[in-house]
């Protein structure tokens, strides 16, 4: 697959979920997306902020490909102490945030990485509560929806009507509905990611003292 997914546990208690889709399909596309995810992860772990890290990745891809190959990029940075989430989207398809029966759609206003020198890098911050769910995907998912004039709204409808179930059940439901539209004939490499905020059980320490309760990404 040309899609590459990674999770990074940062030392300050945050979790980064990174998804990239290289131009094209298969191993050749995976070279671009794999390089983007690997470098971004390394820079994030060494203390780079989101915007500086992704701009460095863009410069590297541009130097190595001369603007002839590109990769979309999604990063979701979750603070497990507060539920604050930062979204960074570069050339990628929309991200969906489900809050009970409400859906928020986050869109990218930038071209993919590796195409131009100066990219529009915007970090969008949201506050998530317990039970809220984030759904990421590559364009292979939306492009495989057949028979809908607005694939984004179609997907928003599916996510909105899904019960608050665990992440795997939600993804299975989305795949099932997409399969129904195309008869199982997916048009491209496709990756789906679901992140749900739940609360850790308190750990019992010495003398009956309980540790601070943290958010947990499921």
């Amino acid at each position: 697959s040309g899609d590459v997914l990674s999770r990074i546990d940062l030392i300050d208690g945050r979790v980064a979920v990174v998804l990239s889709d290289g131009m094209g399909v298969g191993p050749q596309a995976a070279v671009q997306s794999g390089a983007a995810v690997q470098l971004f992860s390394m820079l994030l772990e060494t203390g780079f902020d989101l915007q500086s890290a992704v701009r460095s990745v863009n410069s590297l891809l541009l130097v190595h490909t001369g603007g002839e190959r590109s990769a979309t990029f999604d990063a979701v940075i979750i603070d497990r102490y507060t539920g604050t989430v930062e979204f960074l989207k570069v050339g990628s398809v929309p991200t969906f945030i489900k809050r009970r029966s409400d859906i928020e759609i986050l869109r990218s206003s930038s071209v993919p990485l590796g195409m131009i020198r100066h990219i529009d890098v915007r970090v969008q911050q949201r506050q998530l509560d317990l039970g809220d769910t984030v759904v990421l995907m590559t364009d292979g998912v939306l492009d495989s929806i057949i028979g809908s004039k607005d694939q984004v709204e179609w997907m928003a409808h599916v996510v909105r009507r899904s019960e608050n179930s665990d992440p795997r059940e939600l993804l299975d439901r989305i795949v099932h509905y997409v399969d129904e539209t195309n008869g199982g004939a997916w048009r491209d490499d496709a990756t789906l990611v679901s992140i749900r905020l739940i609360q850790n059980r308190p750990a019992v320490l010495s003398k009956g003292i309980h540790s601070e309760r943290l958010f947990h990404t499921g």
Side-chain angles (χ1 to χ4, degrees):
S1 173
D3 300 343
V4 173
L5 172 67
S6 179
R7 167 182 167 151
I8 311 112
D9 291 294
L10 302 172
I11 60 175
D12 59 3
R14 294 180 300 160
V15 175
V17 178
V18 184
L19 175 63
S20 181
D21 176 11
M23 178 180 175
V25 296
Q28 188 174 13
V31 171
Q32 315 305 323
S33 53
V37 170
Q38 183 177 16
L39 178 59
F40 180 82
S41 301
M42 182 178 65
L43 293 174
L44 208 59
E45 290 177 313
T46 55
F48 276 65
D49 63 75
L50 296 180
Q51 292 173 312
S52 298
V54 80
R55 286 187 176 119
S56 297
V57 174
N58 181 65
S59 297
L60 176 70
L61 293 183
L62 193 58
V63 167
H64 281 275
T65 68
E68 295 182 358
R69 300 197 65 82
S70 61
T72 66
F73 196 82
D74 266 305
V76 180
I77 316 298
I78 305 164
D79 188 323
R80 289 185 289 181
Y81 290 89
T82 65
T84 302
V85 183
E86 294 176 298
F87 296 88
L88 190 153
K89 300 183 63 62
V90 185
S92 55
V93 298
T95 293
F96 302 85
I97 303 175
K98 183 180 188 302
R99 299 182 179 91
R100 296 185 180 180
S101 60
D102 294 329
I103 292 290
E104 181 179 2
I105 303 173
L106 302 182
R107 302 176 188 266
S108 171
S109 60
S110 172
V111 299
L113 295 174
M115 295 184 66
I116 59 176
R117 183 173 302 277
H118 300 291
I119 58 171
D120 181 21
V121 181
R122 301 180 184 179
V123 177
Q124 304 180 63
Q125 184 171 298
R126 297 292 187 274
Q127 183 67 40
L128 296 189
D129 294 323
L130 293 175
D132 289 349
T133 302
V134 176
V135 180
L136 301 172
M137 64 191 67
T138 56
D139 62 359
V141 178
L142 293 182
D143 290 346
S144 296
I145 298 169
I146 307 301
S148 174
K149 294 181 179 180
D150 191 329
Q151 296 159 326
V152 173
E153 286 301 322
W154 185 96
M155 183 60 66
H157 178 74
V158 170
V159 175
R160 181 185 294 110
R161 295 195 62 183
S162 299
E163 297 296 330
N164 286 332
S165 53
D166 68 54
R168 182 174 297 276
E169 290 178 358
L170 174 59
L171 298 187
D172 287 344
R173 187 174 295 113
I174 293 172
V175 170
H176 170 73
Y177 284 128
V178 175
D179 270 338
E180 282 190 336
T181 74
N182 62 34
W186 292 61
R187 295 183 170 184
D188 191 4
D189 297 335
T191 302
L192 269 167
V193 183
S194 178
I195 305 164
R196 189 181 186 210
L197 227 60
I198 61 176
Q199 193 167 30
N200 279 345
R201 295 178 179 176
V204 179
L205 306 180
S206 61
K207 297 182 180 179
I209 299 174
H210 291 75
S211 68
E212 182 180 4
R213 293 188 178 188
L214 307 179
F215 290 105
H216 174 67
T217 54

